[in-house]
Amino acid sequence: MDLRVPVDDGATLRIRRHEGERAPAFLLVHGLASNALLWDEVAAALTAAGHPSYAVDLRGHGESDLPERGFDTATAASDLAAVATALELRDLVVAGQSWGGNVAVRFAAEHPALVSALALVDGGWIDLASEFDSWEACARALRPPDVDGLHGDDLRAHLRRAHPDWSPTAIEATAANLRAEPDGTVSRRLPIPQHMEIVRSMYDDPPQRFYPALSMPVLLLPALPAGRPERAAQARARVRAAADALHRASIKEYPDSDHDLHAQHPKRLADDLLSLT
């Protein structure tokens, strides 16, 4: 069931609510240029275990509004608080993927009464300033490609080739990161300038400064790339450093896995989220 929830500046966000009667509820936060549909298969497993979940389309993403401002981590965290308040949600298990992990860290640090546990899904420790020599180098590397003229069928074929172990549901959810036009081509939901505002926010405002405020259990779920032992070792070191800086942290690694763990391993990820209940 989809809900529309207003946030502080009048924008409305699409929330995908999945039913359940058991506490706690789960708040599911996607990454940059992604959307709430990527959580559907995880949410189905949480519902099967009796728990409700609420997957958020952040502003400018999915079916949420595209306002003039607010494309940064701080505003995204404030939007989550507005959603939780509007829906009268407390004691949430909050799961954030990629940039959504950074957002979840700030939300939990600023609104600890709303959060009982935190799951960081290959994110929540992203510190771009430590990975690039300058903002200019970061911007060159992370500017998204142009998609003008790309046909939706070609996009789906590319996704199936790149991710042969993903389900059709995950492929369609990923294709929904882009808007389907009447002629069959796709266009960006989140325009490149707003995308880069978020990247700049990630560069300027890494999540580590909020770690001391996190007293709840935090589960770190890193994806370690296949066939790239040096990069896997670097990822493991970054995650270990994050865990060491947190009060109550544990790590469950996903070796040989994609960044989008919720698309590739939804049942396993749901089981790991349920371990926080």
Side-chain angles (χ1 to χ4, degrees):
M1 176 181 180
D2 285 0
L3 309 173
R4 302 291 304 185
V5 176
V7 292
D8 291 344
D9 60 0
T12 64
L13 307 186
R14 191 265 297 266
I15 314 297
R16 289 182 65 75
R17 182 174 69 186
H18 298 259
E19 298 297 334
E21 300 297 329
R22 297 179 60 187
F26 289 80
L27 182 64
L28 308 174
V29 188
H30 63 72
L32 176 56
S34 186
N35 76 96
L37 295 174
L38 265 296
W39 288 106
D40 275 4
E41 290 183 289
V42 174
L46 298 176
T47 292
H51 294 272
S53 63
Y54 300 81
V56 180
D57 275 339
L58 297 172
R59 59 176 62 205
H61 295 76
E63 297 296 331
S64 288
D65 289 350
L66 179 69
E68 294 183 356
R69 60 185 62 85
F71 297 95
D72 56 78
T73 302
T75 302
S78 178
D79 286 349
L80 293 185
V83 168
T85 299
L87 299 179
E88 299 182 343
L89 303 176
R90 295 180 63 86
D91 299 322
L92 291 158
V93 175
V94 181
Q97 189 266 341
S98 191
W99 171 57
N102 290 23
V103 175
V105 165
R106 182 152 187 167
F107 168 64
E110 294 180 337
H111 304 277
L114 301 178
V115 181
S116 64
L118 194 57
L120 304 180
V121 183
D122 212 37
W125 54 82
I126 300 172
D127 180 0
L128 296 180
S130 72
E131 298 179 32
F132 294 93
D133 293 334
S134 66
W135 161 244
E136 290 73 20
C138 177
R140 285 193 299 271
L142 298 186
R143 184 187 188 279
D146 294 321
V147 297
D148 291 350
L150 178 64
H151 199 280
D153 291 342
D154 294 333
L155 171 63
R156 290 175 177 82
H158 167 74
L159 291 171
R160 285 191 291 269
R161 288 192 301 270
H163 307 290
D165 55 344
W166 288 17
S167 71
T169 297
I171 296 295
E172 286 301 313
T174 305
N177 290 340
L178 301 171
R179 180 181 291 104
E181 300 295 349
D183 64 356
T185 61
V186 296
S187 63
R188 292 197 173 280
R189 296 182 186 273
L190 181 69
I192 289 176
Q194 286 84 349
H195 182 112
M196 295 308 297
E197 285 183 42
I198 293 172
V199 176
R200 184 63 200 243
S201 169
M202 295 172 69
Y203 184 89
D204 289 338
D205 192 20
Q208 283 80 357
R209 70 185 181 94
F210 295 99
Y211 286 179
L214 301 178
S215 60
M216 69 287 294
V218 182
L219 176 60
L220 295 86
L221 301 156
L224 304 180
R228 307 183 73 174
E230 182 176 342
R231 287 198 60 184
Q234 291 170 347
R236 185 177 283 115
R238 285 193 291 268
V239 172
R240 184 70 262 168
D244 288 345
L246 291 160
H247 295 299
R248 300 170 62 190
S250 57
I251 301 171
K252 290 191 177 180
E253 295 180 349
Y254 282 66
D256 301 333
S257 291
D258 298 332
H259 182 50
D260 291 313
L261 291 176
H262 48 347
Q264 187 182 21
H265 300 295
K267 181 59 170 65
R268 178 182 168 191
L269 182 56
D271 288 342
D272 284 337
L273 299 185
L274 288 166
S275 73
L276 292 168
T277 64

